[in-house]
Amino acid sequence: QVQLVESGGDLVQPGGSLTLSCVASGFTSDYYTIGWFRQAPGKEREGVSCISSRDGSTYYTDSMKGRFTISRDNAKNTVYLQMNSLEPEDTAVYYCAAKRGAYYSGSFYYTLLRMGTMDYWGKGTLVTVSS
């Protein structure tokens, strides 16, 4: 069974930075996609970023570009989300999610971010941005 465990959520002041971690286990294939999603209070869940296990390509929702960076450490089976210049609007529960499959076409990943059609989900970690 695939398991995803997020960590790193915390209280941070506006303008600060935070890095989230997602430890993945139980995959039986080398091809999969790991993504980050978030859900702010009173708002729908939205995609943040995702990364391919095939070639390490990264993809971002347009509003996240420039401030958030996704990366991976294959040896540790861990995916990270580095968040900079955080604002109160970034306050949300951040979820790590996985999708079976990894492709070369960028449209596949942008569709995942837009639709949230992932196969597995973590329980989430809370990020609160407040002074």
PDB file of all heavy atoms in Angstrom, residues 30-64:
ATOM      1  N   ASP A  30       8.468   2.367 -10.992  1.00  0.00           N
ATOM      2  CA  ASP A  30       9.398   3.493 -11.030  1.00  0.00           C
ATOM      3  C   ASP A  30       8.748   4.751 -11.575  1.00  0.00           C
ATOM      4  O   ASP A  30       9.304   5.842 -11.450  1.00  0.00           O
ATOM      5  CB  ASP A  30      10.613   3.154 -11.888  1.00  0.00           C
ATOM      6  CG  ASP A  30      11.508   2.104 -11.264  1.00  0.00           C
ATOM      7  OD1 ASP A  30      11.514   1.985 -10.027  1.00  0.00           O
ATOM      8  OD2 ASP A  30      12.213   1.416 -12.017  1.00  0.00           O
ATOM      9  N   TYR A  31       7.595   4.617 -12.187  1.00  0.00           N
ATOM     10  CA  TYR A  31       6.939   5.741 -12.826  1.00  0.00           C
ATOM     11  C   TYR A  31       5.744   6.214 -12.014  1.00  0.00           C
ATOM     12  O   TYR A  31       4.724   5.532 -11.919  1.00  0.00           O
ATOM     13  CB  TYR A  31       6.514   5.369 -14.240  1.00  0.00           C
ATOM     14  CG  TYR A  31       7.673   4.917 -15.099  1.00  0.00           C
ATOM     15  CD1 TYR A  31       7.656   3.681 -15.733  1.00  0.00           C
ATOM     16  CD2 TYR A  31       8.786   5.728 -15.265  1.00  0.00           C
ATOM     17  CE1 TYR A  31       8.721   3.270 -16.514  1.00  0.00           C
ATOM     18  CE2 TYR A  31       9.855   5.320 -16.033  1.00  0.00           C
ATOM     19  CZ  TYR A  31       9.823   4.093 -16.663  1.00  0.00           C
ATOM     20  OH  TYR A  31      10.891   3.688 -17.434  1.00  0.00           O
ATOM     21  N   TYR A  32       5.871   7.380 -11.459  1.00  0.00           N
ATOM     22  CA  TYR A  32       4.820   7.984 -10.673  1.00  0.00           C
ATOM     23  C   TYR A  32       5.054   9.486 -10.589  1.00  0.00           C
ATOM     24  O   TYR A  32       6.135   9.976 -10.903  1.00  0.00           O
ATOM     25  CB  TYR A  32       4.756   7.387  -9.262  1.00  0.00           C
ATOM     26  CG  TYR A  32       6.044   7.528  -8.494  1.00  0.00           C
ATOM     27  CD1 TYR A  32       6.279   8.629  -7.677  1.00  0.00           C
ATOM     28  CD2 TYR A  32       7.037   6.554  -8.578  1.00  0.00           C
ATOM     29  CE1 TYR A  32       7.463   8.764  -6.979  1.00  0.00           C
ATOM     30  CE2 TYR A  32       8.225   6.679  -7.888  1.00  0.00           C
ATOM     31  CZ  TYR A  32       8.431   7.783  -7.087  1.00  0.00           C
ATOM     32  OH  TYR A  32       9.606   7.921  -6.391  1.00  0.00           O
ATOM     33  N   THR A  33       4.052  10.189 -10.173  1.00  0.00           N
ATOM     34  CA  THR A  33       4.125  11.628 -10.015  1.00  0.00           C
ATOM     35  C   THR A  33       3.756  11.993  -8.581  1.00  0.00           C
ATOM     36  O   THR A  33       2.780  11.471  -8.040  1.00  0.00           O
ATOM     37  CB  THR A  33       3.168  12.333 -10.991  1.00  0.00           C
ATOM     38  OG1 THR A  33       3.518  11.989 -12.334  1.00  0.00           O
ATOM     39  CG2 THR A  33       3.239  13.840 -10.822  1.00  0.00           C
ATOM     40  N   ILE A  34       4.536  12.856  -7.989  1.00  0.00           N
ATOM     41  CA  ILE A  34       4.250  13.358  -6.651  1.00  0.00           C
ATOM     42  C   ILE A  34       3.887  14.839  -6.770  1.00  0.00           C
ATOM     43  O   ILE A  34       4.578  15.598  -7.457  1.00  0.00           O
ATOM     44  CB  ILE A  34       5.441  13.201  -5.701  1.00  0.00           C
ATOM     45  CG1 ILE A  34       5.837  11.727  -5.582  1.00  0.00           C
ATOM     46  CG2 ILE A  34       5.115  13.780  -4.329  1.00  0.00           C
ATOM     47  CD1 ILE A  34       4.807  10.867  -4.878  1.00  0.00           C
ATOM     48  N   GLY A  35       2.829  15.233  -6.104  1.00  0.00           N
ATOM     49  CA  GLY A  35       2.397  16.619  -6.168  1.00  0.00           C
ATOM     50  C   GLY A  35       2.023  17.171  -4.809  1.00  0.00           C
ATOM     51  O   GLY A  35       1.792  16.423  -3.848  1.00  0.00           O
ATOM     52  N   TRP A  36       1.989  18.483  -4.750  1.00  0.00           N
ATOM     53  CA  TRP A  36       1.545  19.196  -3.558  1.00  0.00           C
ATOM     54  C   TRP A  36       0.266  19.955  -3.885  1.00  0.00           C
ATOM     55  O   TRP A  36       0.170  20.619  -4.924  1.00  0.00           O
ATOM     56  CB  TRP A  36       2.599  20.180  -3.062  1.00  0.00           C
ATOM     57  CG  TRP A  36       3.791  19.538  -2.426  1.00  0.00           C
ATOM     58  CD1 TRP A  36       4.983  19.247  -3.013  1.00  0.00           C
ATOM     59  CD2 TRP A  36       3.905  19.123  -1.060  1.00  0.00           C
ATOM     60  NE1 TRP A  36       5.844  18.673  -2.102  1.00  0.00           N
ATOM     61  CE2 TRP A  36       5.205  18.583  -0.896  1.00  0.00           C
ATOM     62  CE3 TRP A  36       3.049  19.150   0.034  1.00  0.00           C
ATOM     63  CZ2 TRP A  36       5.656  18.079   0.324  1.00  0.00           C
ATOM     64  CZ3 TRP A  36       3.497  18.642   1.244  1.00  0.00           C
ATOM     65  CH2 TRP A  36       4.788  18.119   1.378  1.00  0.00           C
ATOM     66  N   PHE A  37      -0.678  19.868  -2.978  1.00  0.00           N
ATOM     67  CA  PHE A  37      -1.931  20.598  -3.071  1.00  0.00           C
ATOM     68  C   PHE A  37      -2.159  21.312  -1.752  1.00  0.00           C
ATOM     69  O   PHE A  37      -1.536  20.985  -0.741  1.00  0.00           O
ATOM     70  CB  PHE A  37      -3.095  19.647  -3.372  1.00  0.00           C
ATOM     71  CG  PHE A  37      -2.998  18.978  -4.715  1.00  0.00           C
ATOM     72  CD1 PHE A  37      -2.137  17.911  -4.918  1.00  0.00           C
ATOM     73  CD2 PHE A  37      -3.773  19.420  -5.776  1.00  0.00           C
ATOM     74  CE1 PHE A  37      -2.040  17.295  -6.153  1.00  0.00           C
ATOM     75  CE2 PHE A  37      -3.686  18.804  -7.019  1.00  0.00           C
ATOM     76  CZ  PHE A  37      -2.815  17.744  -7.203  1.00  0.00           C
ATOM     77  N   ARG A  38      -3.042  22.275  -1.762  1.00  0.00           N
ATOM     78  CA  ARG A  38      -3.352  22.972  -0.525  1.00  0.00           C
ATOM     79  C   ARG A  38      -4.818  23.352  -0.482  1.00  0.00           C
ATOM     80  O   ARG A  38      -5.463  23.511  -1.518  1.00  0.00           O
ATOM     81  CB  ARG A  38      -2.480  24.220  -0.360  1.00  0.00           C
ATOM     82  CG  ARG A  38      -2.821  25.361  -1.313  1.00  0.00           C
ATOM     83  CD  ARG A  38      -1.872  26.529  -1.100  1.00  0.00           C
ATOM     84  NE  ARG A  38      -2.265  27.695  -1.875  1.00  0.00           N
ATOM     85  CZ  ARG A  38      -1.574  28.825  -1.908  1.00  0.00           C
ATOM     86  NH1 ARG A  38      -0.451  28.953  -1.205  1.00  0.00           N
ATOM     87  NH2 ARG A  38      -2.019  29.845  -2.643  1.00  0.00           N
ATOM     88  N   GLN A  39      -5.320  23.493   0.721  1.00  0.00           N
ATOM     89  CA  GLN A  39      -6.689  23.927   0.921  1.00  0.00           C
ATOM     90  C   GLN A  39      -6.729  24.954   2.048  1.00  0.00           C
ATOM     91  O   GLN A  39      -6.453  24.629   3.199  1.00  0.00           O
ATOM     92  CB  GLN A  39      -7.605  22.747   1.244  1.00  0.00           C
ATOM     93  CG  GLN A  39      -9.075  23.129   1.295  1.00  0.00           C
ATOM     94  CD  GLN A  39      -9.992  21.928   1.261  1.00  0.00           C
ATOM     95  OE1 GLN A  39      -9.597  20.821   1.613  1.00  0.00           O
ATOM     96  NE2 GLN A  39     -11.225  22.141   0.837  1.00  0.00           N
ATOM     97  N   ALA A  40      -7.055  26.177   1.680  1.00  0.00           N
ATOM     98  CA  ALA A  40      -7.146  27.260   2.638  1.00  0.00           C
ATOM     99  C   ALA A  40      -8.529  27.265   3.276  1.00  0.00           C
ATOM    100  O   ALA A  40      -9.488  26.731   2.705  1.00  0.00           O
ATOM    101  CB  ALA A  40      -6.873  28.591   1.951  1.00  0.00           C
ATOM    102  N   PRO A  41      -8.653  27.869   4.444  1.00  0.00           N
ATOM    103  CA  PRO A  41      -9.960  27.931   5.104  1.00  0.00           C
ATOM    104  C   PRO A  41     -11.018  28.558   4.211  1.00  0.00           C
ATOM    105  O   PRO A  41     -10.819  29.650   3.677  1.00  0.00           O
ATOM    106  CB  PRO A  41      -9.686  28.801   6.337  1.00  0.00           C
ATOM    107  CG  PRO A  41      -8.228  28.594   6.621  1.00  0.00           C
ATOM    108  CD  PRO A  41      -7.594  28.487   5.266  1.00  0.00           C
ATOM    109  N   GLY A  42     -12.117  27.871   4.038  1.00  0.00           N
ATOM    110  CA  GLY A  42     -13.211  28.385   3.239  1.00  0.00           C
ATOM    111  C   GLY A  42     -13.009  28.337   1.740  1.00  0.00           C
ATOM    112  O   GLY A  42     -13.848  28.869   0.996  1.00  0.00           O
ATOM    113  N   LYS A  43     -11.944  27.730   1.276  1.00  0.00           N
ATOM    114  CA  LYS A  43     -11.660  27.664  -0.152  1.00  0.00           C
ATOM    115  C   LYS A  43     -11.514  26.223  -0.614  1.00  0.00           C
ATOM    116  O   LYS A  43     -11.304  25.314   0.186  1.00  0.00           O
ATOM    117  CB  LYS A  43     -10.390  28.447  -0.484  1.00  0.00           C
ATOM    118  CG  LYS A  43     -10.492  29.934  -0.207  1.00  0.00           C
ATOM    119  CD  LYS A  43      -9.243  30.650  -0.670  1.00  0.00           C
ATOM    120  CE  LYS A  43      -9.352  32.148  -0.429  1.00  0.00           C
ATOM    121  NZ  LYS A  43     -10.466  32.749  -1.213  1.00  0.00           N
ATOM    122  N   GLU A  44     -11.622  26.034  -1.910  1.00  0.00           N
ATOM    123  CA  GLU A  44     -11.450  24.708  -2.482  1.00  0.00           C
ATOM    124  C   GLU A  44      -9.973  24.344  -2.559  1.00  0.00           C
ATOM    125  O   GLU A  44      -9.097  25.205  -2.578  1.00  0.00           O
ATOM    126  CB  GLU A  44     -12.075  24.645  -3.879  1.00  0.00           C
ATOM    127  CG  GLU A  44     -13.579  24.812  -3.903  1.00  0.00           C
ATOM    128  CD  GLU A  44     -14.163  24.625  -5.284  1.00  0.00           C
ATOM    129  OE1 GLU A  44     -13.389  24.485  -6.248  1.00  0.00           O
ATOM    130  OE2 GLU A  44     -15.395  24.616  -5.397  1.00  0.00           O
ATOM    131  N   ARG A  45      -9.722  23.055  -2.617  1.00  0.00           N
ATOM    132  CA  ARG A  45      -8.368  22.576  -2.765  1.00  0.00           C
ATOM    133  C   ARG A  45      -7.803  23.000  -4.117  1.00  0.00           C
ATOM    134  O   ARG A  45      -8.512  22.994  -5.130  1.00  0.00           O
ATOM    135  CB  ARG A  45      -8.348  21.052  -2.642  1.00  0.00           C
ATOM    136  CG  ARG A  45      -6.965  20.429  -2.665  1.00  0.00           C
ATOM    137  CD  ARG A  45      -7.082  18.925  -2.486  1.00  0.00           C
ATOM    138  NE  ARG A  45      -7.833  18.317  -3.581  1.00  0.00           N
ATOM    139  CZ  ARG A  45      -8.400  17.127  -3.513  1.00  0.00           C
ATOM    140  NH1 ARG A  45      -8.332  16.414  -2.391  1.00  0.00           N
ATOM    141  NH2 ARG A  45      -9.056  16.644  -4.561  1.00  0.00           N
ATOM    142  N   GLU A  46      -6.540  23.374  -4.144  1.00  0.00           N
ATOM    143  CA  GLU A  46      -5.902  23.780  -5.381  1.00  0.00           C
ATOM    144  C   GLU A  46      -4.526  23.143  -5.513  1.00  0.00           C
ATOM    145  O   GLU A  46      -3.855  22.865  -4.523  1.00  0.00           O
ATOM    146  CB  GLU A  46      -5.783  25.301  -5.463  1.00  0.00           C
ATOM    147  CG  GLU A  46      -4.896  25.915  -4.397  1.00  0.00           C
ATOM    148  CD  GLU A  46      -4.735  27.414  -4.559  1.00  0.00           C
ATOM    149  OE1 GLU A  46      -4.950  27.923  -5.678  1.00  0.00           O
ATOM    150  OE2 GLU A  46      -4.395  28.086  -3.564  1.00  0.00           O
ATOM    151  N   GLY A  47      -4.114  22.934  -6.739  1.00  0.00           N
ATOM    152  CA  GLY A  47      -2.807  22.376  -6.993  1.00  0.00           C
ATOM    153  C   GLY A  47      -1.715  23.400  -6.774  1.00  0.00           C
ATOM    154  O   GLY A  47      -1.906  24.588  -7.030  1.00  0.00           O
ATOM    155  N   VAL A  48      -0.569  22.944  -6.312  1.00  0.00           N
ATOM    156  CA  VAL A  48       0.586  23.802  -6.087  1.00  0.00           C
ATOM    157  C   VAL A  48       1.699  23.466  -7.063  1.00  0.00           C
ATOM    158  O   VAL A  48       2.138  24.302  -7.846  1.00  0.00           O
ATOM    159  CB  VAL A  48       1.099  23.682  -4.640  1.00  0.00           C
ATOM    160  CG1 VAL A  48       2.365  24.520  -4.455  1.00  0.00           C
ATOM    161  CG2 VAL A  48       0.028  24.110  -3.657  1.00  0.00           C
ATOM    162  N   SER A  49       2.149  22.219  -7.022  1.00  0.00           N
ATOM    163  CA  SER A  49       3.281  21.810  -7.836  1.00  0.00           C
ATOM    164  C   SER A  49       3.348  20.295  -7.899  1.00  0.00           C
ATOM    165  O   SER A  49       2.804  19.604  -7.039  1.00  0.00           O
ATOM    166  CB  SER A  49       4.584  22.369  -7.241  1.00  0.00           C
ATOM    167  OG  SER A  49       5.709  21.986  -8.009  1.00  0.00           O
ATOM    168  N   CYS A  50       4.041  19.773  -8.909  1.00  0.00           N
ATOM    169  CA  CYS A  50       4.263  18.337  -8.982  1.00  0.00           C
ATOM    170  C   CYS A  50       5.589  18.062  -9.669  1.00  0.00           C
ATOM    171  O   CYS A  50       6.148  18.925 -10.358  1.00  0.00           O
ATOM    172  CB  CYS A  50       3.116  17.603  -9.675  1.00  0.00           C
ATOM    173  SG  CYS A  50       2.804  18.075 -11.386  1.00  0.00           S
ATOM    174  N   ILE A  51       6.077  16.838  -9.475  1.00  0.00           N
ATOM    175  CA  ILE A  51       7.373  16.451 -10.011  1.00  0.00           C
ATOM    176  C   ILE A  51       7.298  15.024 -10.526  1.00  0.00           C
ATOM    177  O   ILE A  51       6.635  14.164  -9.939  1.00  0.00           O
ATOM    178  CB  ILE A  51       8.471  16.603  -8.933  1.00  0.00           C
ATOM    179  CG1 ILE A  51       9.856  16.351  -9.527  1.00  0.00           C
ATOM    180  CG2 ILE A  51       8.212  15.677  -7.744  1.00  0.00           C
ATOM    181  CD1 ILE A  51      10.985  16.787  -8.600  1.00  0.00           C
ATOM    182  N   SER A  52       7.988  14.770 -11.623  1.00  0.00           N
ATOM    183  CA  SER A  52       7.972  13.459 -12.265  1.00  0.00           C
ATOM    184  C   SER A  52       9.123  12.595 -11.775  1.00  0.00           C
ATOM    185  O   SER A  52      10.254  13.067 -11.630  1.00  0.00           O
ATOM    186  CB  SER A  52       8.062  13.622 -13.783  1.00  0.00           C
ATOM    187  OG  SER A  52       8.314  12.382 -14.422  1.00  0.00           O
ATOM    188  N   SER A  53       8.856  11.321 -11.548  1.00  0.00           N
ATOM    189  CA  SER A  53       9.918  10.390 -11.191  1.00  0.00           C
ATOM    190  C   SER A  53      10.687   9.928 -12.416  1.00  0.00           C
ATOM    191  O   SER A  53      11.774   9.356 -12.281  1.00  0.00           O
ATOM    192  CB  SER A  53       9.337   9.174 -10.461  1.00  0.00           C
ATOM    193  OG  SER A  53       8.556   8.381 -11.335  1.00  0.00           O
ATOM    194  N   ARG A  54      10.161  10.162 -13.601  1.00  0.00           N
ATOM    195  CA  ARG A  54      10.800   9.719 -14.830  1.00  0.00           C
ATOM    196  C   ARG A  54      12.055  10.526 -15.132  1.00  0.00           C
ATOM    197  O   ARG A  54      13.113   9.966 -15.398  1.00  0.00           O
ATOM    198  CB  ARG A  54       9.825   9.819 -16.004  1.00  0.00           C
ATOM    199  CG  ARG A  54      10.389   9.328 -17.319  1.00  0.00           C
ATOM    200  CD  ARG A  54       9.389   9.503 -18.441  1.00  0.00           C
ATOM    201  NE  ARG A  54       8.245   8.616 -18.295  1.00  0.00           N
ATOM    202  CZ  ARG A  54       8.181   7.386 -18.785  1.00  0.00           C
ATOM    203  NH1 ARG A  54       9.217   6.886 -19.455  1.00  0.00           N
ATOM    204  NH2 ARG A  54       7.086   6.668 -18.612  1.00  0.00           N
ATOM    205  N   ASP A  55      11.931  11.846 -15.090  1.00  0.00           N
ATOM    206  CA  ASP A  55      13.069  12.685 -15.437  1.00  0.00           C
ATOM    207  C   ASP A  55      13.267  13.862 -14.487  1.00  0.00           C
ATOM    208  O   ASP A  55      14.140  14.699 -14.723  1.00  0.00           O
ATOM    209  CB  ASP A  55      12.936  13.206 -16.865  1.00  0.00           C
ATOM    210  CG  ASP A  55      11.660  13.991 -17.100  1.00  0.00           C
ATOM    211  OD1 ASP A  55      10.939  14.260 -16.123  1.00  0.00           O
ATOM    212  OD2 ASP A  55      11.379  14.330 -18.262  1.00  0.00           O
ATOM    213  N   GLY A  56      12.470  13.943 -13.438  1.00  0.00           N
ATOM    214  CA  GLY A  56      12.611  15.011 -12.477  1.00  0.00           C
ATOM    215  C   GLY A  56      12.024  16.338 -12.907  1.00  0.00           C
ATOM    216  O   GLY A  56      12.241  17.348 -12.225  1.00  0.00           O
ATOM    217  N   SER A  57      11.292  16.361 -13.996  1.00  0.00           N
ATOM    218  CA  SER A  57      10.674  17.599 -14.454  1.00  0.00           C
ATOM    219  C   SER A  57       9.699  18.130 -13.413  1.00  0.00           C
ATOM    220  O   SER A  57       9.003  17.359 -12.756  1.00  0.00           O
ATOM    221  CB  SER A  57       9.954  17.370 -15.784  1.00  0.00           C
ATOM    222  OG  SER A  57      10.861  16.977 -16.796  1.00  0.00           O
ATOM    223  N   THR A  58       9.653  19.430 -13.297  1.00  0.00           N
ATOM    224  CA  THR A  58       8.790  20.069 -12.309  1.00  0.00           C
ATOM    225  C   THR A  58       7.758  20.953 -12.983  1.00  0.00           C
ATOM    226  O   THR A  58       8.006  21.531 -14.047  1.00  0.00           O
ATOM    227  CB  THR A  58       9.611  20.904 -11.323  1.00  0.00           C
ATOM    228  OG1 THR A  58      10.353  21.903 -12.049  1.00  0.00           O
ATOM    229  CG2 THR A  58      10.598  20.022 -10.566  1.00  0.00           C
ATOM    230  N   TYR A  59       6.616  21.084 -12.325  1.00  0.00           N
ATOM    231  CA  TYR A  59       5.506  21.843 -12.870  1.00  0.00           C
ATOM    232  C   TYR A  59       4.825  22.602 -11.741  1.00  0.00           C
ATOM    233  O   TYR A  59       4.740  22.119 -10.610  1.00  0.00           O
ATOM    234  CB  TYR A  59       4.513  20.910 -13.571  1.00  0.00           C
ATOM    235  CG  TYR A  59       5.172  20.071 -14.639  1.00  0.00           C
ATOM    236  CD1 TYR A  59       5.766  18.858 -14.325  1.00  0.00           C
ATOM    237  CD2 TYR A  59       5.231  20.516 -15.956  1.00  0.00           C
ATOM    238  CE1 TYR A  59       6.401  18.096 -15.294  1.00  0.00           C
ATOM    239  CE2 TYR A  59       5.861  19.770 -16.930  1.00  0.00           C
ATOM    240  CZ  TYR A  59       6.449  18.558 -16.596  1.00  0.00           C
ATOM    241  OH  TYR A  59       7.079  17.822 -17.568  1.00  0.00           O
ATOM    242  N   TYR A  60       4.342  23.785 -12.073  1.00  0.00           N
ATOM    243  CA  TYR A  60       3.749  24.652 -11.069  1.00  0.00           C
ATOM    244  C   TYR A  60       2.470  25.292 -11.578  1.00  0.00           C
ATOM    245  O   TYR A  60       2.352  25.626 -12.762  1.00  0.00           O
ATOM    246  CB  TYR A  60       4.705  25.777 -10.680  1.00  0.00           C
ATOM    247  CG  TYR A  60       6.023  25.307 -10.111  1.00  0.00           C
ATOM    248  CD1 TYR A  60       7.093  25.024 -10.940  1.00  0.00           C
ATOM    249  CD2 TYR A  60       6.185  25.169  -8.741  1.00  0.00           C
ATOM    250  CE1 TYR A  60       8.302  24.593 -10.422  1.00  0.00           C
ATOM    251  CE2 TYR A  60       7.391  24.741  -8.210  1.00  0.00           C
ATOM    252  CZ  TYR A  60       8.445  24.455  -9.054  1.00  0.00           C
ATOM    253  OH  TYR A  60       9.644  24.039  -8.532  1.00  0.00           O
ATOM    254  N   THR A  61       1.540  25.468 -10.680  1.00  0.00           N
ATOM    255  CA  THR A  61       0.428  26.348 -10.973  1.00  0.00           C
ATOM    256  C   THR A  61       1.000  27.753 -11.130  1.00  0.00           C
ATOM    257  O   THR A  61       1.902  28.144 -10.390  1.00  0.00           O
ATOM    258  CB  THR A  61      -0.603  26.306  -9.832  1.00  0.00           C
ATOM    259  OG1 THR A  61      -1.142  24.986  -9.727  1.00  0.00           O
ATOM    260  CG2 THR A  61      -1.736  27.280 -10.080  1.00  0.00           C
ATOM    261  N   ASP A  62       0.499  28.503 -12.090  1.00  0.00           N
ATOM    262  CA  ASP A  62       1.087  29.792 -12.438  1.00  0.00           C
ATOM    263  C   ASP A  62       1.274  30.717 -11.239  1.00  0.00           C
ATOM    264  O   ASP A  62       2.298  31.388 -11.117  1.00  0.00           O
ATOM    265  CB  ASP A  62       0.236  30.492 -13.498  1.00  0.00           C
ATOM    266  CG  ASP A  62       0.378  29.870 -14.867  1.00  0.00           C
ATOM    267  OD1 ASP A  62       1.356  29.127 -15.085  1.00  0.00           O
ATOM    268  OD2 ASP A  62      -0.486  30.126 -15.727  1.00  0.00           O
ATOM    269  N   SER A  63       0.311  30.756 -10.360  1.00  0.00           N
ATOM    270  CA  SER A  63       0.389  31.658  -9.220  1.00  0.00           C
ATOM    271  C   SER A  63       1.465  31.266  -8.213  1.00  0.00           C
ATOM    272  O   SER A  63       1.821  32.065  -7.352  1.00  0.00           O
ATOM    273  CB  SER A  63      -0.970  31.732  -8.524  1.00  0.00           C
ATOM    274  OG  SER A  63      -1.363  30.465  -8.034  1.00  0.00           O
ATOM    275  N   MET A  64       1.987  30.060  -8.309  1.00  0.00           N
ATOM    276  CA  MET A  64       3.004  29.580  -7.379  1.00  0.00           C
ATOM    277  C   MET A  64       4.427  29.786  -7.886  1.00  0.00           C
ATOM    278  O   MET A  64       5.375  29.701  -7.104  1.00  0.00           O
ATOM    279  CB  MET A  64       2.806  28.089  -7.097  1.00  0.00           C
ATOM    280  CG  MET A  64       1.391  27.687  -6.764  1.00  0.00           C
ATOM    281  SD  MET A  64       0.783  28.509  -5.277  1.00  0.00           S
ATOM    282  CE  MET A  64      -0.924  27.927  -5.294  1.00  0.00           C
TER     283      MET A  64
END
